[in-house]
Amino acid sequence: MEPHPPNRPEPPWTRRRALSTGALTLGTLAAAPLFTACGGGDEPARRVGGGGGRRTELTFACAAFTGGAAGMQSFADRYNAAQSRYRVTVRNLPPPSSSTECHQQLTQLLARKDGTVDVFAQDVVWIAELADAGWVHPLDQDVSASLRRSFFPGVVEACTYQGRLVALPWYVDAGGLYYRTDLMRALGRKPPTGWHELADIAAEMQHRRVPMGYLWQAKQAEILLCDLVEFIASNRGHIIDPSGAVGVDSPACVEAVQFMRDLVYRYKVSPSEVFSWDEEPSRRPFTAGRVGMMRHWSYVYGVSQNPDQSKVVGKVDVAPLPRFPGGTSSSCLGGYQLGVAAGSRNKEGAMDFLHWLAGTEAQLAFALDFGNAPSRVSVYDEKKLAKAQPAMVKLKEAFGNGVPRPVTPHYSRVSLALQSAVSRALVHGDVRGTLRSARRDLEAIV
């Protein structure tokens, strides 16, 4: 699945292309050997300087992200120029938009345990599966407590399986509340912090200003699970709690799903088309100026400010998603995280490269050139990031409120079962009964 919206082909005008202005080029920095491999006191010190003797070869298996001058290899070349012990070669997997193919190729490589791969990048929802299969080298002894605290807590949680750290945070994505600043100002309102307040404001916008008050995504696909997680978590609910117990039919979950349906049939601020819309179909009416508020991923801000794609340039801002009474704002985590292959023949070198990738300087460079949001909190204080990606900085709170999708080695089956059940509940009703049946299905899976 894709790091942010799963299975979404990225249009050429999205955030990655928008970063060309003001971003440091990969080629420039790759040629500078003083781009050090450490970015803070909690990162291991390493020697800086190229050349000198035979290097140990490392392989980094990674989805084919677009960005920079020559993709991920040019990014890895920065590491190669910054030290003299290892040389990393990138093995490109299919792009994140081809999630199934990327997952299939990665699992085939890891299952061999023959040293083909040393370090790899994985969609956040694959972490438990790969760890449960025994294909991942545990990181508990290699990652200090202070280093873990430097990342967003939700990402560290997603990188943990059965109490062990099995992945290191790399980059994140999360849902945010996009809204029309001009409409909000005209109504004398502020961005809503509660879901019922959102329904009220959306109704007012729809009555006086725009055809649609609030858009979200409920197509029977992975995106429905992302939206579902946000509604449920903001009501203090769990689909599967940390102990592994299935709670999808708990009162908190039933209330959240009922509200999702009520947005269409009771409050009438969302059109029934949301039940068949994923990311782009829901984005287009918003940037066409026909919607007051919308839940979406971070790439949308750049699109909204592109006059070739948007009629609301300069009229859009983003805020954390609302919450239910007593709950907290919650955003579904996306993104790719880092792992060391159990079959690596050089785990010392793999850990060195892993720490470099997760370091502050590398994360900043990756954000500037590839448009992917850092998982390290301190990077959001960098002036270069604020200048090149203001929306990314605005979404810092959303990233901090990030919650993972159900952590289970059987995630694919869990996701498909929930997609079907929640889609039925939203379209046909009987939310409580449908979720009760879904609980039994999930218990049989996990």
Side-chain angles (χ1 to χ4, degrees), residues 61-74:
C62 183
F65 296 112
T66 57
M72 282 304 302
Q73 183 59 55
S74 58

Side-chain angles (χ1 to χ4, degrees), residues 1 19 30 104 122 133 161-162 173-174 225-226 248 287 319 348 371 404:
M1 270 127 266
L19 288 172
Q104 182 180 39
Q122 58 194 315
Y161 178 64
Q162 294 185 341
D173 202 355
L225 264 293
C226 298
V248 72
T287 51
E348 180 182 352

Side-chain angles (χ1 to χ4, degrees), residues 225-278:
L225 264 293
C226 298
D227 285 44
L228 176 70
V229 163
E230 292 167 345
F231 280 106
I232 287 178
S234 69
N235 201 29
R236 299 180 296 177
H238 296 277
I239 296 171
I240 300 175
D241 70 22
S243 72
V246 178
V248 72
D249 63 339
S250 68
C253 292
V254 171
E255 181 183 14
V257 176
Q258 184 63 56
F259 181 80
M260 294 166 71
R261 177 176 164 80
D262 287 347
L263 285 169
V264 175
Y265 294 111
R266 178 183 175 187
Y267 300 111
K268 302 184 187 301
V269 295
S270 299
S272 60
E273 284 83 357
V274 297
F275 298 144
S276 61
W277 282 352
D278 54 17

Side-chain angles (χ1 to χ4, degrees), residues 90-136:
V90 175
R91 179 162 184 161
N92 282 313
L93 301 177
S97 57
S98 299
S99 172
T100 301
E101 293 82 359
C102 185
H103 174 267
Q104 182 180 39
Q105 291 190 26
L106 179 61
T107 54
Q108 289 174 350
L109 290 171
L110 295 177
R112 296 174 187 171
K113 292 189 176 181
D114 60 358
T116 303
V117 173
D118 297 289
V119 177
F120 63 94
Q122 58 194 315
D123 190 301
V124 68
V125 298
W126 303 341
I127 291 174
E129 174 194 354
L130 302 183
D132 189 72
W135 298 335
V136 179

